């Protein structure tokens, strides 16, 4: 969800404010990704593929960007495997 989440009162909550110690443990050990691994085993996701994006933004994509919805989403994207976060967003989208 990102580093910050909005509270009911429209103020930002940091991870330390909203995560329990158990949640921090799950994140630090990447066990929070376990459910996605189950989806890979079921065949609903792949290990490497485009990260799932919200369908509500599909009308804002270029036809090339929208093609990411033609394949199974992945736990990690091709851009993350080949360059991690060193690349800028347009290049990341092209790699996905």
């Amino acid at each position: 969800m990102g580093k910050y989440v909005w509270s009911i009162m429209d103020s930002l909550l940091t991870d330390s404010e909203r995560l329990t110690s158990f949640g921090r443990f799950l994140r630090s050990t990447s066990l929070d990704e376990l459910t996605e691994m189950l989806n890979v085993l079921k065949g609903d996701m792949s290990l490497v593929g485009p990260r799932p994006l919200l369908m509500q933004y599909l009308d804002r994509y270029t036809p090339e960007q929208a093609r990411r919805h033609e394949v199974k989403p992945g736990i990690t994207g091709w851009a993350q495997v080949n360059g991690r976060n060193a690349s800028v967003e347009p290049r990341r989208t092209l790699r996905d």
Side-chain angles (χ1 to χ4, degrees):
M1 272 203 170
K3 187 174 180 180
Y4 297 100
V5 172
W6 292 99
S7 73
I8 295 171
M9 303 301 287
D10 286 335
S11 60
L12 286 175
L13 298 176
T14 64
D15 282 349
S16 61
E17 292 174 310
R18 66 184 184 86
L19 286 177
T20 64
S21 57
F22 183 66
R24 279 190 290 280
F25 169 76
L26 289 177
R27 282 221 175 142
S28 68
T29 58
S30 294
L31 288 175
D32 59 329
E33 303 286 344
L34 190 57
T35 55
E36 289 184 343
M37 278 303 294
L38 295 174
N39 286 328
V40 170
L41 295 174
K42 284 181 12 183
D44 294 337
M45 291 181 78
S46 63
L47 288 175
V48 178
R51 294 292 295 206
L53 299 175
L54 297 175
M55 292 296 288
Q56 68 193 43
Y57 299 118
L58 190 57
D59 62 332
R60 297 180 185 182
Y61 298 159
T62 65
E64 186 173 302
Q65 291 170 329
R67 293 196 64 214
R68 72 185 307 131
H69 292 280
E70 295 175 6
V71 297
K72 291 180 184 176
I75 290 178
T76 191
W78 186 250
Q80 287 80 14
V81 171
N82 292 290
R84 244 348 233 172
N85 294 325
S87 62
V88 293
E89 181 57 36
R91 181 170 286 165
R92 232 180 294 159
T93 302
L94 284 173
R95 286 184 179 169
D96 276 348

